[in-house]
Amino acid sequence: MTSVLESSGPIVLPALLLCDFGHLAREVERLEQAGAQALHLDVMDGRFVPQLTYGPVVVEAVRRAAQVPLEVHMMVEQPELTAVDYARLGADIVTVHVEAVVDPVPTLAAIRNQGARAHLALSPGTPVDVIEPLLHACDGVLVMSVEPGFGGQAFEPVALDKLARLAAVRQERGLGFRLGVDGGISTETIDRVAAAGAELIVAGSAVIRSADYAQAITELESRARAAS
Ligand code: DX5
Ligand code: ZN
């Protein structure tokens, strides 16, 4: 199920954060029918970020409803306590914030041991240097282009230099991690993140607040492919 996460072209992962949670399975189905190749689920604990969203029960419901791979983006304190639970219930990627855990390496290893891909997320204020020593231990990096916590915020260009730097380090060191970006992605910004190297591109409001999910996903992906 993970092959699309490893292929070289950029893909758009719609984020469910702003979708209609009263009709969650229908939203998943609509997104898949619209061409979503993977989905992004924002788990927030009201402590690491101000908002509280959902946890394993809802992720498991999405897992049952969805055919495509799922990324669980953990915006929680002490992710080491629950990361492996998301891997066990069928998340294909479990993404942990480097700011939330003292030593991410054992958590990344535990996620991988469950057969999921282990990604590290980086908030806008966190420099790339912090994760450079950890890159061998992860399968992907999620560069945040907004402060984590809410959908619909404006894109922060600080992400562009970080993506470019990570792409260069990956090449220099012969590593294979995937490059993701999350926050403020739209038809106005996707060209720049794709050109900087982003491959797993999260889009929340640009898809969910559009009138036509298929048109939104198709346009974003074709722009990303053209710019990459
Ligand atoms: C923000 C979340 C994002 C959010 C993206 O904390 O991590 O995944 O859903 O939403 P947009 O694309 O609207 O910025
Ligand atoms: Zn996210």
Side-chain angles (χ1 to χ4, degrees), residues 174-214:
L175 296 171
F177 62 86
R178 312 301 290 155
L179 267 177
V181 67
D182 183 9
I185 298 302
S186 68
T187 52
E188 305 295 310
T189 55
I190 198 162
D191 312 52
R192 281 179 283 158
V193 297
E199 297 150 331
L200 302 174
I201 304 176
V202 178
S205 48
V207 175
I208 303 296
R209 289 193 176 145
S210 72
D212 181 337
Y213 289 176

Side-chain angles (χ1 to χ4, degrees), residues 15 17 40 42 44 73 75 144 148-152 182-184 202-205:
L17 187 60
H40 179 91
D42 291 302
M44 303 185 186
H73 177 192
M75 285 161 278
M144 294 298 299
F150 298 96
D182 183 9
V202 178
S205 48

